Amino acid sequence: MRFKYYMRLFGQMNVKRSFVLFAIILSLFVSFAVYVFKTISPLIKVVCESTAKMVALKVTEETVNELISDIEYESLMDIKYNEQGNIIAINANVINMNKLSSKIAYKVQEKLTKLDKQTVEIPIGKVWGLDLFAGYGPSINIKLIPIGNTETEY
C-alpha cells in the first residue's frame, strides 16, 4: 500500500519537475534570444545604412557622369563681358540648373528602384562585440530591399 502511495507521489513530482525544467529552459532560451537580438540590431542597422549609402553614392555618381557629359558650362552659367573682354558678371541659369537637377533626381530614383535586393553578410564573431573574433564564424545573411527617395541640392 505504501509502495503505491510513494509511486504516485514520485509520479506527480516528475510532472512538476519536468514542468519546472521546461519553464527554466524556455526562460533561458528567451533570455538568450533577447540578448542576441539586442546585440545584433544596432550592428545590423549600421551595416545596412553603410551599404545603402555606398549603393546610393555609386548610382548617383554613375547617373551624374552620364548626364553631365552632354552639358556645357555655358548652358548653366551666363557670362557677361565688358568692352575690353573682361568678365564683369557670372549669372546662374537657374532654369537649366533646375532641369538638370530634376533629371538627375529622376534618373537616380529610377535606377534605385530597378536595383535588385542586396545581400549583406555579417560574421557571427562580429555579433559578440569582440574585435578579435570580428571576421570569424559563419555569416548571417541579410537582404536589403531598396526603398526611399531622392533629394537634390546645388
Side-chain angles (χ1 to χ4, degrees):
M1 194 65 147
R2 283 193 180 269
F3 180 71
K4 288 182 182 179
Y5 171 76
Y6 287 120
M7 286 303 289
R8 196 170 10 145
L9 182 65
F10 287 130
Q12 289 174 354
M13 286 178 60
N14 277 341
V15 170
K16 288 179 184 177
R17 274 190 206 155
S18 60
F19 178 73
V20 169
L21 184 63
F22 174 75
I24 290 171
I25 290 173
L26 182 65
S27 64
L28 287 174
F29 177 75
V30 169
S31 300
F32 179 73
V34 167
Y35 169 76
V36 168
F37 286 126
K38 282 190 175 188
T39 305
I40 289 178
S41 293
L43 177 65
I44 290 174
K45 183 177 179 181
V46 167
V47 170
C48 291
E49 283 179 358
S50 173
T51 304
K53 286 179 183 178
M54 182 182 66
V55 169
L57 183 63
K58 181 181 174 188
V59 168
T60 303
E61 180 184 359
E62 289 173 359
T63 304
V64 168
N65 287 336
E66 285 174 14
L67 295 177
I68 206 80
S69 63
D70 300 334
I71 302 295
E72 294 183 15
Y73 183 75
E74 290 78 23
S75 69
L76 298 177
M77 296 292 174
D78 293 327
I79 304 172
K80 305 283 185 194
Y81 298 95
N82 62 8
E83 293 81 25
Q84 289 84 23
N86 296 329
I87 298 174
I88 57 171
I90 299 176
N91 297 323
N93 188 340
V94 179
I95 295 172
N96 285 348
M97 290 178 85
N98 283 338
K99 285 180 184 178
L100 178 63
S101 176
S102 64
K103 190 184 286 187
I104 288 172
Y106 177 77
K107 289 286 187 181
V108 166
Q109 188 68 38
E110 190 177 76
K111 285 184 178 184
L112 286 175
T113 55
K114 289 181 181 178
L115 281 177
D116 292 333
K117 295 177 185 174
Q118 301 285 324
T119 302
V120 177
E121 294 182 354
I122 301 175
I124 292 286
K126 184 76 173 164
V127 171
W128 300 117
L130 298 173
D131 292 335
L132 180 65
F133 302 116
Y136 296 104
S139 295
I140 299 171
N141 293 327
I142 300 169
K143 291 185 180 179
L144 300 177
I145 301 170
I147 34 176
N149 59 348
T150 308
E151 295 178 12
T152 56
E153 294 180 12
Y154 56 88

